[in-house]
Amino acid sequence: MKKKPFESMYWLLGDQLDLEHPWFSKVDGNRLFVIAELYQETAYCTQHVQKICAFFLSMENFAKGLRAKGHQVVHLTLDETIAFDNLEALIEAKIVEHSVTQFFYQRPDELRLLNQFRSLRLDGSVLVEEHDSDHFLFPFSEIEKDFAPGKSHRMESFYRRMRKRFGILMNGSEPIGGEWNFDKQNREKFSQSDISQIPNPLIFSNNIEDVLIRLKRNNVQFIGKIPDQLPWPVSRVQALELLEFFCAKCLPNFGRFQDAMATDHDLGWSLYHSRLSFALNSKMLSPLEVIKTALHAYETKKPLISIAQIEGFVRQVLGWREFIRALYWINMPAYKEKNYFKAERKLPGFFWTGETKMACMHRAIDDSLQYSYSHHIHRLMITGNFCLLTGVSPDEVDNWYLGIYIDGIEWAELPNTRGMSQYADGGMVASKPYSASGNYISKMSDYCKNCRYKAKEVTTEEACPFNSLYWRFLEANKEKLAKNPRNALVY
């Protein structure tokens, strides 16, 4: 049977799952939307099984959502795309198969994918157009105006401009509460009574059996625990449910315990964090709707939700997320080669197993393997701190973070890891290295109580490894760091 001819093909990637995008505002029978599971997206680094399953299930649900709106959609599974060498070959074949004369794609958020789209070799009779994803709040066209490649930039000034631009938490030209940043109020450690109040996390029960069969049939290699049911949101309905749960149950204490860590194995991985990063990075949720929903909760639940709680959350989404994305694009591809400390060590094998006697490292890695997630303090001050202090190659660190975390998309991962965590960019993202001894971990967690090592000891065999590693790092890099005003006191 001859296929229905289409005039236009619209290609969608697995992190472009925005049902509110202008492309879908009207139904047109001459448009064909295509979304495809790709082997290349499972293999650019070794990835967590939950990350792969979450993207593939979300793509399938997105295709169903478009069909329900009346759109013409082709959802290609891995079985149908595995024969093609790369994305370009698949696109070129589908254009010929459906005899389209126009091809449209949304600009990818990763440079490697953008290069693939821009290298397409199509017949001259096919019109090709690149469109914006309309997801981010800071326009792509303004990045070159506000940011300079290779230069240091600070999130705080950018964040203030964004607050003014969107009128968020503002009283005229002044910030609500009289301060731009309430971070000093958001550094509490959990007491035992605090831990008993942490809400049970909202998790979902998504069947991944069919996806796992496809992965195994096509020899996809992965890491991490295979759950009975995937706990992550894989549809817009689930993503909105998680957003509402966060605002109702977690936002009242989000800022207060933003940097705290806890051992409790049922709650310690989730705490008061939103866990919305996958839904945001796949674009099932937009940053503005997330902010507005949180602001509505703040306005209707004061004083239960204080200014410090909502400001801390807004700063992450409106400030840090947009800032990191801009730094990625202004500095690529050179950014991926930054290695300020010339770190060259291999990643230790226990990063793939969690088998270490260091309680904090075991917990952070175990959470990562079990959930494809750990919160930002785990990433920055436990695993990231360890890699920084021991001189692990930034390439090794990038590949681990990019693969193991469900929200690991390069535009977000690279500046956070290579810049913020490893200071491999020499200060383009952070004003100083985020290095710390065991004292910080003891202060912000209860991990040290039952650890094989002693946080307060430095030179004995019982001493926490972070202590000697911290002082070794400072000594080894004295020439580069001693002149930094934020390091001066330590030296």
Side-chain angles (χ1 to χ4, degrees):
M1 182 177 178
K2 189 175 181 181
K3 292 188 177 182
K4 176 186 179 299
F6 295 95
E7 181 180 307
S8 306
M9 178 178 289
Y10 290 72
W11 201 273
L12 296 158
L13 295 172
D15 63 344
Q16 296 174 341
L17 310 182
D18 178 9
L19 283 169
E20 306 301 312
H21 191 275
W23 276 4
F24 314 124
S25 60
K26 66 177 182 178
V27 174
D28 186 339
N30 291 315
R31 295 179 174 183
L32 177 65
F33 295 97
V34 181
I35 190 165
E37 298 174 357
L38 301 170
Y39 181 81
Q40 71 166 42
E41 295 307 292
T42 71
Y44 59 82
C45 65
T46 304
Q47 297 187 68
H48 201 294
V49 62
Q50 291 184 40
K51 178 185 176 185
I52 300 172
C53 288
F55 272 105
F56 281 8
L57 276 182
S58 299
M59 291 160 67
E60 181 179 348
N61 288 330
F62 185 74
K64 290 176 181 176
L66 287 182
R67 290 194 191 102
K69 285 189 168 188
H71 297 289
Q72 300 295 315
V73 185
V74 170
H75 171 236
L76 300 170
T77 69
L78 197 59
D79 294 332
E80 297 168 286
T81 64
I82 195 68
F84 295 90
D85 291 337
N86 50 44
L87 173 62
E88 301 95 299
L90 175 62
I91 291 174
E92 290 161 9
K94 292 303 168 182
I95 285 176
V96 172
E97 178 183 340
H98 292 282
S99 304
V100 298
T101 58
Q102 298 175 337
F103 179 78
F104 303 98
Y105 66 91
Q106 293 176 30
R107 183 180 55 254
D109 294 321
E110 293 193 36
L111 182 60
R112 65 181 179 86
L113 285 162
L114 180 61
N115 288 339
Q116 284 185 279
F117 275 103
R118 289 182 174 176
S119 66
L120 285 169
R121 294 173 180 166
L122 304 179
D123 186 288
S125 62
V126 178
L127 171 70
V128 179
E129 284 188 7
E130 179 180 302
H131 290 219
D132 198 292
S133 67
D134 287 343
H135 172 79
F136 292 94
L137 299 175
F138 188 70
F140 187 84
S141 60
E142 294 184 26
I143 292 175
E144 289 187 353
K145 300 175 185 176
D146 276 32
F147 292 83
K151 302 294 184 182
S152 296
H153 296 276
R154 295 293 170 257
M155 191 277 292
E156 185 65 27
S157 59
F158 172 82
Y159 168 56
R160 295 184 185 190
R161 295 199 304 272
M162 291 292 279
R163 287 266 296 272
K164 292 177 181 178
R165 180 172 186 157
F166 288 91
I168 292 175
L169 293 177
M170 297 296 296
N171 182 11
S173 60
E174 297 300 316
I176 289 176
E179 300 287 342
W180 289 101
N181 187 315
F182 291 88
D183 192 45
K184 290 182 180 179
Q185 297 183 30
N186 296 340
R187 298 173 185 172
E188 288 189 45
K189 175 182 178 177
F190 288 112
S191 67
Q192 199 57 46
S193 61
D194 291 327
I195 292 175
S196 68
Q197 301 299 313
I198 298 171
N200 289 314
L202 173 64
I203 58 175
F204 301 93
S205 299
N206 295 301
N207 191 307
I208 59 173
E209 185 177 351
D210 289 345
V211 178
L212 286 174
I213 290 172
R214 292 201 296 278
L215 298 184
K216 293 175 181 178
R217 185 161 53 222
N218 293 290
N219 299 313
V220 172
Q221 304 299 308
F222 51 74
I223 57 171
K225 180 181 178 182
I226 302 175
D228 295 329
Q229 303 287 322
L230 188 72
W232 295 98
V234 294
S235 68
R236 177 163 170 78
V237 170
Q238 289 182 347
L240 287 170
E241 188 178 349
L242 185 57
L243 173 60
E244 292 294 339
F245 174 86
F246 166 70
C247 291
K249 302 293 186 180
C250 302
L251 186 55
N253 282 306
F254 167 79
R256 181 184 171 196
F257 296 118
Q258 194 173 178
D259 289 359
M261 296 172 279
T263 299
D264 188 300
H265 281 269
D266 293 323
L267 306 172
W269 72 282
S270 58
L271 304 177
Y272 289 99
H273 298 283
S274 73
R275 298 181 293 114
L276 291 169
S277 51
F278 171 71
L280 270 166
N281 289 358
S282 61
K283 301 183 180 61
M284 289 187 287
L285 297 177
S286 79
L288 193 56
E289 75 176 324
V290 167
I291 292 169
K292 285 183 175 180
T293 303
L295 288 172
H296 177 73
Y298 163 68
E299 293 293 345
T300 56
K301 295 182 180 180
K302 289 187 284 189
L304 179 63
I305 301 174
S306 71
I307 183 65
Q309 316 309 312
I310 185 64
E311 186 279 317
F313 182 66
V314 167
R315 185 169 5 110
Q316 283 196 359
V317 182
L318 181 67
W320 190 252
R321 188 171 184 267
E322 299 283 333
F323 177 72
I324 284 295
R325 180 250 189 168
L327 285 181
Y328 172 83
W329 280 112
I330 199 64
N331 289 300
M332 285 294 281
Y335 196 82
K336 207 168 183 177
E337 306 302 320
K338 298 292 183 183
N339 190 355
Y340 184 66
F341 296 119
K342 295 182 169 46
E344 296 179 347
R345 285 196 172 96
K346 291 287 187 181
L347 196 72
F350 61 76
F351 269 73
W352 306 102
T353 65
E355 296 175 2
T356 169
K357 294 178 182 178
M358 299 172 70
C360 59
M361 288 289 287
H362 169 74
R363 184 57 205 269
I365 295 170
D366 194 59
D367 279 357
S368 304
L369 292 167
Q370 184 169 349
Y371 301 108
S372 189
Y373 173 86
S374 66
H375 55 78
H376 72 283
I377 292 299
H378 271 173
R379 302 189 200 192
L380 179 64
M381 300 308 300
I382 305 296
T383 51
N385 184 29
F386 181 88
C387 291
L388 173 67
L389 299 183
T390 56
V392 175
S393 163
D395 291 341
E396 296 264 314
V397 184
D398 280 335
N399 285 334
W400 189 77
Y401 277 80
L402 190 61
I404 203 166
Y405 290 125
I406 194 164
D407 50 20
I409 301 178
E410 190 181 71
W411 70 264
E413 176 277 325
L414 192 62
N416 270 301
T417 302
R418 193 169 288 247
M420 182 74 168
S421 170
Q422 300 304 293
Y423 202 74
D425 63 5
M428 292 163 64
V429 173
S431 58
K432 75 174 186 66
Y434 275 81
S435 56
S437 66
N439 181 59
Y440 174 86
I441 298 165
S442 177
K443 177 183 175 183
M444 296 306 299
S445 77
D446 58 1
Y447 296 150
C448 302
K449 289 192 304 183
N450 299 309
C451 184
R452 153 73 173 77
Y453 302 103
K454 308 301 180 186
K456 294 189 181 302
E457 296 187 20
V458 180
T459 59
T460 70
E461 290 185 5
E462 300 294 311
C464 172
F466 272 109
N467 292 335
S468 56
L469 289 172
Y470 173 72
W471 293 109
R472 185 215 68 86
F473 171 77
L474 290 178
E475 176 63 25
N477 296 289
K478 184 175 182 179
E479 185 178 338
K480 290 185 175 181
L481 298 178
K483 296 178 183 178
N484 185 320
R486 296 194 66 189
N487 288 114
L489 179 62
V490 178
Y491 283 102

